[in-house]
Amino acid sequence: MHQLSLPSPLMENWLRHQEHFRNRAGSEQTDWLDETLQDKQFAHAIGIAWGGSEFVATTCVQQPTMFQELVLSGDLDNALAPGELEQRLRSHLDGVASEEELLKKLRLFRNREMVRIVWRDFNRLAELEETTGDMTSLAEAVLSVTLEYLYGRACEEWGTPLDRQGNPQQMVILGMGKLGAWELNVSSDIDLIFTYPEAGETSGGKRNLSNQEFFVRLGQRLIKALDARTAEGFVFRVDMRLRPYGQSGALVLNFDAMEEYYQTQGRDWERYAMIKARVVAGDQQAGRQLMTMLRPFTYRKYIDFSAFESLRSMKAMINREVQRKGLSADVKRGAGGIREVEFIAQAFQIIRGGRDSRFQTPELKAVLPLIAEEGMLSSEEAKQLYEGYRFLRNVEHVLQGWQDRQTQLLPQDAEGQALVAVLMGYSDWSQFLERLDKHRSCIRGLFEDVVAEDRRDAEASTETQDCELAKTVWLSSDPEGQMAEALAELGYDDVAKAVNGIVSLRDSHAVLAMANDTRGRLDGLMPRLIPVCGQMPNSAETLCRVLKLIAAVARRSAYLVLLRENPSALQTTVELFSASSWVADQLIRYPALLDELLDNRSLLSLPDRAALSDELRQQLLRIPSDDFETQMEVLRYFQRSHGLHVAACEVEGILPLMQVSDYLTWLAEAILEHVLEMAWEQLVARHGKPRTVTGEDAGFLIVGYGKLGGIELGHGSDLDLVFLHNADPAKSTDGEKAIDSASFFARLGQRIIHILTARLPSGDLYEVDMRLRPSGNSGMLVSSIGAFEKYQMEEAWIWEHQALVRARTIAGDETLAEQFYAIRERVLCRQRDTLELKQAVVEMRDKMRKHLGSGAGGQSGEGIFNLKQDAGGIVDIEFVVQFAVLAWSHDITGLTHWSDNIRILESLEESGVLSSDDAQCLISAYKKYRSAGHRLQLQQATGVVDATEFSAEREQVKAVWQRLLG
């Protein structure tokens, strides 16, 4: 026999248990052990396992045959394949004839597997993730197979539970806590919730029961089968306290009752618990439906910063428990323990999970990298957290594996401390404790950073004089006296307006009906908000705008917490509301956008065109392909959030006009690309692909006109679109539900428009104008490329050729795009009679000015200037450009290359069509007009200014018009 060399605490235990084995086992097994101990590697492994775990050693001593079989099977040296545990359990239970036999065989199976798992864990043959995964698989296998057996017996006795349609119903078991997260300990309870789909009664039994009574009885039998202690021990301790209403609640509830409870009575800690909920046994399909029903309780659609507040409450409660029970040596609940790592991850899951489905996972290992990826923690912090977590979990397994007992308390006796140190790979307790304290200190520091009251300097100015004055304003019952005086002292420009806004909000039904905790959050926010608004140049107007936001989110108090917790977000919100009523309106209508204000660096930085498209693609990849509505919601949030980024950059003066338009146009292009892809995939999946005349896959093209084509989109601009295809009209698609090509593309066009214009809770994407297609509203929604060419060459009006100047391809088939540009080139480069062209352009311009200018409809245009439609304005410049392209493109190459007015004007200057002075005057005026228009747009004002503004520019534009078209 190999002479073992083990640290003293292990050696003493090993020798003692070896002697017990020899006294208990037969001579053949003793001889076998002596022979096997010749293997140096095995001898060391058994010394570690038996020396470090009373449970493993005792089980092997009491069941020597099982131990011998386990060693000879090779299972101690090899990881199991997925699903292998359940297969083995089914074989082990094959032929079970009674519940008594079931209980015995379950426990024997459990003991064998527990020996294997602890052996591999203590000898570091298995990583933490394998150990917790095996424990979880063991629990799932036991639950599934036992439930299956007991359900069959129960149906024989009491009948089969049926739904309203007469279909059999099965129980659904939710695994909570570490079971749900695939992180079960080596001696853990299993936290379960029992549920079933719907009320009804059983059929076919000796006597019928209600479904409720059937599943309660089944649940009781299941708990007994796993939890009851027999001569062979137990399988798993079962904890049902996480069910609705806790220990006072029914053992089992149906789906409707579950949903009702969580939506009306669910508490903050239950949201945290539900993060780790997972269907672990029973009807998986019904379980998925239940989880979909419960998801809105756990993950709110908006960014939910109330998570920090509830986390603080739980932290305080745990701290009190730790102090009361003396749990500072508890590696789970003590400071810097396992639970604090879990709370950090869960807080960010609660915050982000409603908007980013990647956070909707029970596994901590998967969440921490996401938190780092999203910049909520640094990569190094996330790494430190997981390293600390793994260390603590390994300590926990050492503590629990010793006697198969659920404990997280570090030993106080010298022998126990020496054992823990050795099993953790340290020479003595002090060395181990140094490493442990380092991990716990790191975890505690990060936890405090996340949940501290002064997170992100939220409390930096709480007790300043301004905040005290603002408290007076908010709580004052004397609006005309004390409140007004305090507002004046805070610098408000229109005290009466500010007083009216505050009193209106305070007396509104939305505020009066607030729950106490929500009202407390509002009362905490207002003393911070009022002074910040008072710093704005239009302070009273800014305050009234922000108060509309407060009223809009009154029932969703997480937004109040977001602003209170994040002073930088509050400051940015107020500044944007001051600078732009359009931004204010967007945030009031879609408060989920407040999340974008959390990080000023991110808010004021914009990705390039390629990165924009890639970001949208990545977001859509997270959504199941069949979840069309969620994809549409993602598109809308993407568009609004990036639009907000652009507006913020514009307000801050970071982006000049041209780049604002560029970015908003890129945004529309990226969205149209993905909308086309979504609609195409849906139609092709249903009907197959359309074909060209030559039998190749047909293509589809989106052409942008107007501001989209001219790369001049503004905030809230609609999209002028034309749809083209190159399919053979005589052919049908190649799918099972084939349709003709014309119908296919008509449906495709309708689908695209629906995705863009459908009003969801988050609004629409864009308004779409299709009137520039061949024959306008009376024409086909989607034209063939041949029909488009024929129309442009033979039927189109001059104004339609003017519109073609600003047309360019946006998304779709590249071959079709080349054909479109070739047609555009031929149409624009046709030689035209200059006088006839001039007459047509002038007549169209006069008609537009008459109907759309500042004097339209008989109104007086005195004293005002319509930036777009009045003489010398934007449309005059556009018509000059379009006339020049149509008049001279046949003779001057390059005039048709661009679709935006600025670069066409530069081409006209280079070619000599316009003098340098004229071209630069038009470019300058055009940029100034559009900048003014953008500023008015951000204030939701019409594009009209005082007539004294831009007077010089107007005269210069009119002079150029006269020279070219007069």
Side-chain angles (χ1 to χ4, degrees), residues 183-254:
E183 296 165 356
L184 207 59
N185 301 329
V186 296
S187 185
S188 180
D189 295 355
I190 51 175
D191 295 297
L192 304 177
I193 293 178
F194 296 157
T195 180
Y196 63 97
E198 62 181 71
E201 64 178 28
T202 63
S203 175
K206 297 172 185 175
R207 73 181 184 89
N208 292 352
L209 302 175
S210 70
N211 287 350
Q212 175 72 15
E213 189 173 356
F214 174 93
F215 284 113
V216 167
R217 292 186 179 187
L218 176 61
Q220 289 168 340
R221 287 190 176 181
L222 179 60
I223 293 170
K224 177 185 174 183
L226 303 183
D227 193 276
R229 285 188 175 272
T230 69
E232 291 78 22
F234 66 97
V235 185
F236 282 100
R237 292 175 294 268
V238 177
D239 191 336
M240 300 296 298
R241 289 175 297 174
L242 292 180
R243 69 185 187 271
Y245 306 103
Q247 288 175 303
S248 63
L251 185 66
V252 188
L253 290 178
N254 64 41

Side-chain angles (χ1 to χ4, degrees), residues 718-739:
D718 60 5
L719 303 181
D720 293 299
L721 303 178
V722 168
F723 299 152
L724 303 174
H725 73 84
N726 61 354
D728 183 350
K731 289 182 179 178
S732 296
T733 58
D734 60 5
E736 290 184 12
K737 297 181 180 179
I739 54 175

Side-chain angles (χ1 to χ4, degrees), residues 600-606 645-657 659-660:
N600 245 13
R601 291 168 301 175
S602 170
L603 178 67
L604 301 178
S605 62
L606 301 170
H645 283 233
V646 175
C649 290
E650 192 172 1
V651 165
E652 292 292 328
I654 294 171
L655 275 188
L657 166 70
Q659 289 182 32
V660 169

Side-chain angles (χ1 to χ4, degrees), residues 100-248:
E100 287 184 9
E101 186 182 2
L102 173 72
L103 266 62
K104 181 176 182 178
K105 285 202 164 189
L106 281 173
R107 283 150 181 75
L108 292 174
F109 182 84
R110 183 262 186 190
N111 290 338
R112 179 192 188 277
E113 292 307 317
M114 283 293 295
V115 168
R116 179 186 65 82
I117 292 168
V118 175
W119 181 296
R120 288 181 56 75
D121 185 78
F122 277 26
N123 279 285
R124 296 295 177 257
L125 298 172
E127 294 291 338
L128 170 69
E129 292 76 15
E130 181 190 321
T131 299
T132 55
D134 275 1
M135 286 301 305
T136 304
S137 296
L138 176 61
E140 285 194 357
V142 165
L143 282 166
S144 295
V145 176
T146 307
L147 176 62
E148 191 178 305
Y149 178 86
L150 295 175
Y151 177 78
R153 295 287 291 264
C155 288
E156 290 175 9
E157 189 173 347
W158 307 315
T160 302
L162 305 177
D163 63 15
R164 285 187 292 269
Q165 287 73 43
N167 301 312
Q169 291 191 82
Q170 173 61 282
M171 180 182 275
V172 173
I173 300 179
L174 299 185
M176 309 295 287
K178 288 187 167 61
L179 172 60
W182 285 95
E183 296 165 356
L184 207 59
N185 301 329
V186 296
S187 185
S188 180
D189 295 355
I190 51 175
D191 295 297
L192 304 177
I193 293 178
F194 296 157
T195 180
Y196 63 97
E198 62 181 71
E201 64 178 28
T202 63
S203 175
K206 297 172 185 175
R207 73 181 184 89
N208 292 352
L209 302 175
S210 70
N211 287 350
Q212 175 72 15
E213 189 173 356
F214 174 93
F215 284 113
V216 167
R217 292 186 179 187
L218 176 61
Q220 289 168 340
R221 287 190 176 181
L222 179 60
I223 293 170
K224 177 185 174 183
L226 303 183
D227 193 276
R229 285 188 175 272
T230 69
E232 291 78 22
F234 66 97
V235 185
F236 282 100
R237 292 175 294 268
V238 177
D239 191 336
M240 300 296 298
R241 289 175 297 174
L242 292 180
R243 69 185 187 271
Y245 306 103
Q247 288 175 303
S248 63

Side-chain angles (χ1 to χ4, degrees), residues 323-395:
Q323 290 169 3
R324 189 178 74 252
K325 296 184 178 180
L327 299 177
S328 58
D330 191 309
V331 296
K332 178 180 179 180
R333 290 175 289 179
I338 293 167
R339 188 172 276 176
E340 291 189 356
V341 182
E342 294 172 339
F343 276 171
I344 291 170
Q346 289 170 317
F348 287 115
Q349 286 182 273
I350 289 284
I351 292 164
R352 298 282 180 173
R355 279 253 317 280
D356 189 339
S357 60
R358 294 177 302 162
F359 284 87
Q360 295 178 17
T361 174
E363 296 184 66
L364 181 122
K365 183 181 181 182
V367 172
L368 290 177
L370 285 178
I371 293 172
E373 184 181 321
E374 294 298 315
M376 292 174 277
L377 292 175
S378 69
S379 297
E380 184 59 29
E381 287 171 336
K383 180 183 176 185
Q384 289 172 351
L385 273 179
Y386 194 64
E387 286 177 353
Y389 175 79
R390 292 183 92 249
F391 184 89
L392 292 173
R393 289 301 305 275
N394 281 324
V395 174

Side-chain angles (χ1 to χ4, degrees), residues 360-600:
Q360 295 178 17
T361 174
E363 296 184 66
L364 181 122
K365 183 181 181 182
V367 172
L368 290 177
L370 285 178
I371 293 172
E373 184 181 321
E374 294 298 315
M376 292 174 277
L377 292 175
S378 69
S379 297
E380 184 59 29
E381 287 171 336
K383 180 183 176 185
Q384 289 172 351
L385 273 179
Y386 194 64
E387 286 177 353
Y389 175 79
R390 292 183 92 249
F391 184 89
L392 292 173
R393 289 301 305 275
N394 281 324
V395 174
E396 184 181 41
H397 285 170
V398 167
L399 298 173
Q400 295 182 351
W402 169 239
Q403 291 181 330
D404 190 17
R405 188 166 62 89
Q406 189 174 30
T407 179
Q408 287 87 17
L409 282 173
L410 294 168
Q412 301 302 306
D413 61 294
E415 183 180 345
Q417 291 175 348
L419 195 69
V420 169
V422 167
L423 288 172
M424 286 298 296
Y426 295 89
S427 60
D428 57 42
W429 179 250
S430 61
Q431 190 184 57
F432 162 76
L433 207 57
E434 182 182 346
R435 187 63 180 168
L436 174 68
D437 288 345
K438 184 176 180 181
H439 281 302
R440 292 181 70 173
S441 175
C442 175
I443 291 168
R444 172 41 67 122
L446 290 171
F447 180 73
E448 291 287 359
D449 286 346
V450 169
V451 304
E453 288 286 347
D454 58 356
R455 186 174 186 272
R456 302 188 188 181
D457 301 319
E459 305 293 326
S461 59
T462 301
E463 300 303 326
T464 64
Q465 185 179 356
D466 282 354
C467 281
E468 287 302 314
L469 275 173
K471 282 182 185 177
T472 302
V473 169
W474 179 240
L475 300 175
S476 174
S477 58
D478 180 17
E480 295 181 2
Q482 189 181 35
M483 183 185 292
E485 289 172 8
L487 285 167
E489 193 171 340
L490 286 167
Y492 274 83
D493 58 348
D494 188 337
V495 170
K497 184 174 184 177
V499 166
N500 186 56
I502 290 170
V503 172
S504 296
L505 175 69
R506 203 173 59 186
D507 295 345
S508 67
H509 175 73
V511 171
L512 294 175
M514 280 180 170
N516 289 338
D517 59 342
T518 304
R519 180 57 192 262
R521 290 166 179 172
L522 178 63
D523 291 344
L525 170 64
M526 294 308 295
R528 295 172 173 81
L529 171 66
I530 293 169
V532 177
C533 291
Q535 298 166 8
M536 300 299 113
N538 54 342
S539 52
E541 175 62 26
T542 300
L543 176 66
C544 290
R545 290 175 183 175
V546 179
L547 294 181
K548 288 180 182 177
L549 172 67
I550 301 301
V553 301
R555 296 180 63 187
R556 292 172 284 180
S557 63
Y559 291 127
L560 305 179
V561 179
L562 184 154
L563 293 171
R564 195 188 74 187
E565 294 278 347
N566 295 273
S568 62
L570 178 62
Q571 183 74 33
T572 303
T573 301
V574 170
E575 289 174 357
L576 289 174
F577 272 55
S578 173
S580 170
S581 64
W582 180 86
V583 171
D585 184 58
Q586 289 291 298
L587 286 164
I588 291 166
R589 291 168 64 191
Y590 311 110
L593 293 170
L594 285 168
D595 179 44
E596 302 300 321
L597 308 182
L598 292 175
D599 185 348
N600 245 13

Side-chain angles (χ1 to χ4, degrees), residues 722-792:
V722 168
F723 299 152
L724 303 174
H725 73 84
N726 61 354
D728 183 350
K731 289 182 179 178
S732 296
T733 58
D734 60 5
E736 290 184 12
K737 297 181 180 179
I739 54 175
D740 63 88
S741 296
S743 297
F744 177 91
F745 284 110
R747 293 183 188 183
L748 179 62
Q750 291 165 352
R751 195 66 175 152
I752 291 170
I753 293 171
H754 170 74
I755 296 171
L756 293 171
T757 62
R759 289 201 170 273
L760 301 181
S762 56
D764 59 6
L765 273 169
Y766 294 98
E767 291 184 18
V768 174
D769 191 337
M770 300 293 297
R771 289 176 296 177
L772 290 175
R773 67 185 188 270
S775 302
N777 286 338
S778 62
M780 295 182 68
L781 184 64
V782 185
S783 299
S784 70
I785 190 70
F788 177 79
E789 180 177 22
K790 185 176 187 298
Y791 180 84
Q792 291 291 341

